[in-house]
Amino acid sequence: MIEEILSENIVLLAAAVFVIIVILKGVRIVSQSEKHVVERFGRLHSVLGPGINFVVPFLDVVRHKISILERQLPTASQDAITKDNVLVQVDTSVFYRITEPEKTVYRIRDVDDAISTTVAGIVRAQIGRMDLDEVQANRAHLIDTIKLSVEDAVDDWGIEVTRAEILDVNLDQQTRQAMLQQLNAERARRAQVTEAEGQKRAVELHADAELYEAEQKAKARRISAEAEAYATEVVAQAIKNNGIEAAQYQVALKQVEALNALGNGDGKQTIVVPAAALEAFGDAFKLLKGGS
């Protein structure tokens, strides 16, 4: 019974199977991280993006499935000679991704080797234009220059260079020793300069202190002179207003002050005073007491 049904409907079953195969062949589901390159009769026909795509069964064939994820080339080391004839070994790493698979699969055979060779040549060319000190100090600028140069070189391959890194710049042992000696000499020079500047600053401060002291002494003398002038002016005004008695009073005051100064001396000395001086001191005491 079953054989009779199958024999009678074999054509229909074959047609159904063919339709299913056609549908499966005509529908292509591409993941988010890939692009598919489709050929028709051996020639590029289209590039399928992520999602559901439809092709002509048996005519269109997916020849290449290309990942569009970002890739990192293995770390590469290349020797280069700087402008001042120093041999350096540069470790580089490049990140890229494929943006146009149809260019990548038909214009270049081995993408990774091609990019590595391109990077090596560009690094040697760029470092050859710079001194060693510039390579060490301007590494960020060197990285940007290398990245732009690599982008221009691989543009025809449908590749986008997302990042380029210089991981290390290694020197030979002789160059390292020479740089170390130069560094030590520079440190010694800076120490001597710092010490000399400190001594210079100390001399300047000492001179400023002496100048300040002289200015303060001059200021004190000026104030003392002004005070003396003021006192003299007061005495002169008193003499003018009160006559000779004011002058005698002032002289007597000075004599008493001089006598007190002699009596307050630290030593035990004997002072011989003339009789005329004693009479003068007596007159001074009388004037201070208001006597005549």
Side-chain angles (χ1 to χ4, degrees):
M1 185 66 180
I2 297 176
E3 294 179 355
E4 292 179 357
I5 295 174
L6 291 176
S7 61
E8 293 177 357
N9 299 291
I10 187 67
V11 176
L12 294 177
L13 290 175
V17 172
F18 179 77
V19 169
I20 292 173
I21 293 175
V22 168
I23 293 174
L24 293 177
K25 287 285 187 179
V27 177
R28 288 289 181 267
I29 299 176
V30 182
S31 66
Q32 184 67 35
S33 61
E34 292 182 342
K35 285 185 178 181
H36 293 179
V37 178
V38 178
E39 292 181 354
R40 180 178 291 180
F41 301 115
R43 300 184 61 181
L44 173 66
H45 176 65
S46 63
V47 177
L48 305 182
I52 299 178
N53 298 271
F54 299 95
V55 297
V56 178
F58 307 108
L59 297 180
D60 296 340
V61 180
V62 176
R63 290 296 184 187
H64 305 279
K65 296 181 179 180
I66 305 299
S67 173
I68 59 175
L69 295 177
E70 186 175 5
R71 307 180 187 184
Q72 178 185 4
L73 291 177
T75 301
S77 298
Q78 50 264 347
D79 294 333
I81 300 177
T82 63
K83 186 178 179 181
D84 50 352
N85 296 322
V86 177
L87 178 64
V88 297
Q89 186 179 51
V90 184
D91 296 338
T92 60
S93 181
V94 176
F95 297 79
Y96 75 95
R97 65 187 185 91
I98 297 175
T99 57
E100 299 177 87
E102 63 276 16
K103 293 183 179 180
T104 306
V105 297
Y106 293 115
R107 293 187 179 181
I108 191 71
R109 179 181 296 275
D110 192 329
V111 179
D112 289 354
D113 285 346
I115 296 178
S116 298
T117 303
T118 303
V119 170
I122 291 174
V123 168
R124 291 191 181 98
Q126 293 298 327
I127 290 181
R129 300 174 184 175
M130 306 172 66
D131 293 333
L132 179 60
D133 292 340
E134 294 177 347
V135 174
Q136 298 286 2
N138 301 320
R139 183 175 296 187
H141 175 70
L142 179 60
I143 290 174
D144 293 338
T145 303
I146 292 174
K147 180 176 180 296
L148 292 175
S149 300
V150 174
E151 286 178 349
D152 293 338
V154 303
D155 184 61
D156 291 338
W157 301 339
I159 294 172
E160 177 189 4
V161 177
T162 57
R163 189 169 41 162
E165 296 290 344
I166 295 180
L167 303 180
D168 199 4
V169 178
N170 299 312
L171 306 174
D172 59 89
Q173 188 62 29
Q174 293 180 351
T175 305
R176 288 179 180 273
Q177 292 178 354
M179 291 184 65
L180 181 60
Q181 293 177 356
Q182 182 180 2
L183 180 60
N184 292 334
E186 180 64 19
R187 288 176 177 174
R189 185 190 67 81
R190 291 181 179 178
Q192 292 177 356
V193 170
T194 302
E195 183 180 0
E197 289 179 349
Q199 293 176 355
K200 177 183 176 182
R201 184 57 180 166
V203 171
E204 290 176 351
L205 292 176
H206 182 69
D208 291 341
E210 291 182 345
L211 178 61
Y212 178 77
E213 182 181 2
E215 290 176 349
Q216 294 300 315
K217 288 181 178 179
K219 183 178 179 180
R221 292 193 190 101
R222 180 175 58 81
I223 295 174
S224 178
E226 290 177 354
E228 187 69 24
Y230 176 76
T232 303
E233 182 181 357
V234 171
V235 172
Q237 186 65 33
I239 294 173
K240 181 179 179 182
N241 295 335
N242 301 313
I244 193 61
E245 292 181 357
Q248 293 175 346
Y249 177 82
Q250 186 67 21
V251 172
L253 180 61
K254 292 295 184 180
Q255 291 173 345
V256 173
E257 290 177 354
L259 183 61
N260 289 332
L262 291 174
N264 293 329
D266 295 334
K268 295 181 180 179
Q269 66 272 13
T270 301
I271 301 173
V272 179
V273 182
L278 293 177
E279 293 178 358
F281 286 130
D283 293 339
F285 282 115
K286 290 180 181 179
L287 288 173
L288 290 175
K289 294 179 179 180
S292 57

